[in-house]
Amino acid sequence: ASTTSTGYIHLAMVWGVMGMALKPVLGLAQHVAPKYQGPAPTVLPVPLPPVLDTPFPDLDRAIAELDAHAWVLKSTSEKANLMRACSTGLVNVSKQVSDLSERYKGSWGNKEEWLPMFCVVMGCQEYVTALESGGAPAPLKLRKETATDQWVAEVFPHGMLKALLPGYKGEVWMKPGTDPTQGAAYCAPEEGEVRDEGHIALVLGAGNQYAVVLLDIFHKLICDMEVVVCKISPINHYLGPLFEEALSPLIEANALRIVYGGREVGEYLVKHPKVHSIHLTGSADTCNAIVWGSPTVPRVGVPPIVAMGKSITAELGNVTPYIIVPGPWTDAEIKHVAAEVVGGFTHNAGHNCLALEVLITAADWPLREQFLAEVHQQLNERAQRVPYYPGSAAKHAAFRERFKAGPGKMLELGVPPVAKSGTDSSGVLPFILVEGLEPDEVEVKTENWCAVAQEVALPGTGSDPAAFMTAALEYANNKCWGSLAVAVFCDPTTQRAADTEWKQLISGLRYGSVCINVGTTMGFVVTALPWGAAPGNSLHEVESGVGSVHNTYLFDHASKGVLEAPWRPVPKPLHHADNNAVPHLMPSLLSFVNNASNPLFALWPMTQVALHAVRG
């Protein structure tokens, strides 16, 4: 570790002690501080403006202008300066990005579209730290899991974030049998070895979340050291000009070009002779169409895209399970976990690759009915949403048709939105929860991509948490399609009582992201962790995808990220749907994270964040 990295670790310890000391103070303040009123009226989405495709000659020109070799030759300090400038640029446009996203996607009126910029700026700053450390920033801790022969690096929260997030812990688990090496792309060439001339990467931007697009661009630039041409999705193309403004330092350095269009533009770029690698976020059908030419042709032999000399990575979604381990929960604990569940499948109108799809409970848990009743109550306090993503209303209708006459009990929840006068509410749809399904009755092979979920009550485990953990592990791994993300909720007392089975559950879950006592959204938000399917997929059976992104500590052999939150976090998490503090604290939060490496500039905005957060 460099001297800078070592000092960074020591400072993180200081901030961690401060955070734990302040936790009871914040807890008290949360109870006595006056709460922000809200939210504002629900925002219903308006039709998208037309997409103006970038003409093919302009695509050729954009690719020709990218200078891959110059990017390879830039020093780490030069790259760090560019990323630092982009971080500030993103902070400056963040409110505009939020407002436009809210206009075309809809919103509960609490500025939830502003919140994703937090992880984008945090990731950008983490890459700055990685570059300043020569591609190998020191982890906070390093240990060996002897049972699985895996190195585990603790990487989050780091620096001053420890003061804001006491009790959180994020770890990168390496592939079994590998060492925790970092920054292979930044290692000095061996004697006689010629440094790579550099390559051009195509990023096919996600349409559902702008944070995905921006972080994918950064990953290709920093982790893979490739310059990028990014095609913005037609679903959020309205954000492209703001991205160009914020990322202008990279554009001026000929490391990035942003282009626009639909399928035809995408196909042209995929086949472009100068494009070396492709990264997409989307569906398995889209990936198979790119790799094999069609989603329906037999996938045998050498994939045509590989025969063209191109590599591809992809993040493709998941039938996401949330595992509820039975325990002696209090009413407050039930309310908190219910809030995580509600956010898990209603956030972004359900249009998330990590959205909750299958809620796994114990049929004999004495508190199961109370827990589900709390979920119902919280859903019925939320305004119903319009599914803005093309095709999602049809998927919602198909799900309703599938379960309206059983099996299980189908509930349509939520309340009609109170929106601004003159807005069209005809497309509003209820949240749907189907409860009480037997294990073989759940639809576990189809990602619904809308605000619907199923509850499967596993029988035969009684109230024994250890037996349930074993059964839930088998169900999540072998029944639910995909391997992107999973969430597990278990109180600390139960974890200790079933220590062996608990450790087997966490290490045994075959997912790229494992979130403990927090929803899967946070597995994406914490950019120090890898994000992508569990290793083992191939272009012949792509499932949740191949490869991963984020991983801002640049580990060469990352297998999965494990994020653990406190059982009862203080103050209320910002991602909870009923937190009305978000519009008040976002300017301070972005200022803090943009300056977190400099306590002199970060301390005051951090204080402001805490003061606002206790009123959420």
Side-chain angles (χ1 to χ4, degrees):
S2 68
T3 303
T4 301
S5 295
T6 304
Y8 194 64
I9 294 171
H10 292 160
L11 280 173
M13 294 172 63
V14 172
W15 293 116
V17 171
M18 179 183 293
M20 294 306 294
L22 287 175
K23 187 174 180 180
V25 177
L26 293 175
L28 177 62
Q30 183 172 255
H31 285 292
V32 301
K35 296 296 181 277
Y36 285 118
Q37 299 301 306
T42 300
V43 179
L44 300 177
V46 302
L48 289 170
V51 183
L52 298 177
D53 288 10
T54 303
F56 288 176
D58 290 348
L59 296 176
D60 291 334
R61 187 177 304 109
I63 290 175
E65 290 171 349
L66 289 169
D67 194 338
H69 188 51
W71 183 250
V72 169
L73 294 179
K74 281 188 185 299
S75 67
T76 53
S77 62
E78 289 175 308
K79 292 187 176 80
N81 287 335
L82 288 170
M83 294 297 290
R84 191 178 286 109
C86 288
S87 180
T88 299
L90 288 165
V91 171
N92 292 339
V93 302
S94 64
K95 180 63 163 54
Q96 295 168 271
V97 169
S98 171
D99 290 346
L100 275 178
S101 298
E102 187 176 84
R103 174 175 172 80
Y104 293 110
K105 295 169 64 176
S107 162
W108 277 314
N110 59 359
K111 296 299 179 185
E112 67 262 33
E113 287 298 323
W114 207 350
L115 201 51
M117 194 60 81
F118 163 71
C119 71
V120 176
V121 175
M122 179 171 66
C124 199
Q125 288 294 329
E126 288 169 349
Y127 282 131
V128 169
T129 300
L131 290 164
E132 291 178 338
S133 303
L140 303 175
K141 294 179 183 177
L142 198 60
R143 62 183 173 85
K144 185 74 173 285
E145 282 285 322
T146 55
T148 56
D149 191 24
Q150 287 177 282
W151 283 100
V152 178
E154 184 178 332
V155 295
F156 184 87
H158 45 71
M160 296 180 73
L161 279 170
K162 274 190 169 292
L164 281 183
L165 298 169
Y168 283 79
K169 181 171 69 175
E171 297 178 332
V172 179
W173 289 46
M174 310 306 155
K175 295 175 183 176
T178 65
D179 292 325
T181 58
Q182 297 168 266
Y186 293 89
C187 293
E190 298 289 338
E191 186 176 351
E193 182 182 359
V194 178
R195 185 175 285 279
D196 200 307
E197 288 293 310
H199 298 290
I200 296 174
L202 167 64
V203 170
L204 297 171
N208 64 321
Q209 290 282 5
Y210 66 81
V212 176
V213 185
L214 295 166
L215 289 169
D216 286 352
I217 290 172
F218 295 158
H219 179 88
K220 296 303 290 185
L221 284 164
I222 306 303
C223 295
D224 293 349
M225 215 185 291
E226 296 179 318
V227 295
V228 174
V229 53
C230 175
K231 186 188 80 67
I232 302 294
S233 169
I235 301 170
N236 58 5
H237 70 94
Y238 49 84
L239 296 177
L242 291 174
F243 293 170
E244 293 184 63
E245 177 183 340
L247 305 182
S248 59
L250 291 170
I251 293 173
E252 292 166 6
N254 292 323
L256 173 67
R257 288 294 182 272
I258 292 176
V259 299
Y260 303 84
R263 182 186 298 259
E264 290 185 359
V265 170
E267 290 176 347
Y268 185 83
L269 291 169
V270 163
K271 296 175 182 177
H272 199 284
K274 290 188 176 180
V275 168
H276 175 263
S277 71
I278 302 159
H279 178 77
L280 78 143
T281 300
S283 69
D285 281 352
T286 300
C287 183
N288 286 326
I290 292 171
V291 172
W292 298 96
S294 166
T296 58
V297 299
R299 297 187 290 275
V300 294
V302 178
I305 198 75
V306 175
M308 294 170 62
K310 301 178 188 294
S311 62
I312 184 167
T313 52
E315 188 262 276
L316 307 175
N318 195 52
V319 175
T320 306
Y322 275 37
I323 299 170
I324 308 297
V325 179
W329 298 2
T330 65
D331 291 350
E333 289 166 348
I334 287 174
K335 184 175 182 179
H336 169 69
V337 177
E340 293 287 342
V341 167
V342 168
F345 79 98
T346 60
H347 177 259
N348 197 31
H351 306 321
N352 289 330
C353 56
L354 47 71
L356 162 63
E357 298 258 0
V358 178
L359 187 64
I360 303 175
T361 64
D364 299 320
W365 182 31
L367 297 177
R368 173 175 166 267
E369 292 296 334
Q370 182 184 347
F371 172 71
L372 291 175
E374 180 63 32
V375 171
H376 303 164
Q377 179 175 329
Q378 292 192 29
L379 282 168
N380 280 327
E381 292 170 355
R382 305 310 305 166
Q384 297 165 347
R385 297 286 294 269
V386 174
Y388 69 87
Y389 205 93
S392 56
K395 291 183 178 182
H396 188 280
F399 184 89
R400 175 190 273 162
E401 183 68 22
R402 164 78 168 80
F403 288 105
K404 68 179 183 180
K409 178 183 178 182
M410 188 179 80
L411 301 170
E412 299 190 2
L413 302 163
V415 294
V418 177
K420 295 178 180 179
S421 61
T423 56
D424 180 12
S425 61
S426 60
V428 170
L429 294 175
F431 310 121
I432 296 181
L433 177 62
V434 180
E435 296 177 356
L437 294 170
E438 296 290 334
D440 59 354
E441 294 175 335
V442 185
E443 176 52 70
V444 291
K445 300 301 180 185
T446 302
E447 185 183 29
N448 290 293
W449 198 251
C450 55
V452 301
Q454 307 161 77
E455 184 238 359
V456 55
L458 297 184
T461 63
S463 295
D464 180 9
F468 174 80
M469 291 177 194
T470 300
L473 174 63
E474 191 280 334
Y475 195 89
N477 277 348
N478 299 323
K479 299 296 183 182
C480 298
W481 177 85
S483 62
L484 179 64
V486 60
V488 185
F489 294 88
C490 183
D491 64 89
T493 300
T494 301
Q495 290 180 29
R496 290 190 295 268
D499 180 68
T500 299
E501 290 80 7
W502 172 250
K503 290 177 179 177
Q504 290 172 346
L505 174 63
I506 300 307
S507 64
L509 283 165
R510 294 196 302 269
Y511 288 82
S513 175
V514 177
C515 295
I516 302 170
N517 294 335
V518 69
T520 48
T521 303
M522 289 300 293
F524 174 89
V525 167
V526 179
T527 46
L529 305 180
W531 180 256
N537 296 334
S538 70
L539 295 180
H540 292 79
E541 293 294 337
V542 74
E543 203 181 57
S544 286
V546 289
S548 63
V549 292
H550 301 183
N551 183 27
T552 55
Y553 278 67
L554 309 188
F555 285 104
D556 301 322
H557 307 293
S559 174
K560 69 180 180 183
V562 177
L563 175 66
E564 183 171 7
W567 179 237
R568 287 292 308 280
V570 175
K572 178 191 290 186
L574 295 182
H575 60 271
H576 280 197
D578 62 345
N579 193 322
N580 295 317
V582 172
H584 303 278
L585 62 71
M586 278 308 297
S588 297
L589 181 61
L590 292 178
S591 176
F592 162 69
V593 75
N594 194 43
N595 294 285
S597 61
N598 189 333
L600 185 64
F601 292 101
L603 188 58
W604 175 238
M606 184 183 78
T607 304
Q608 290 178 304
V609 169
L611 293 173
H612 288 301
V614 296
R615 299 182 62 187

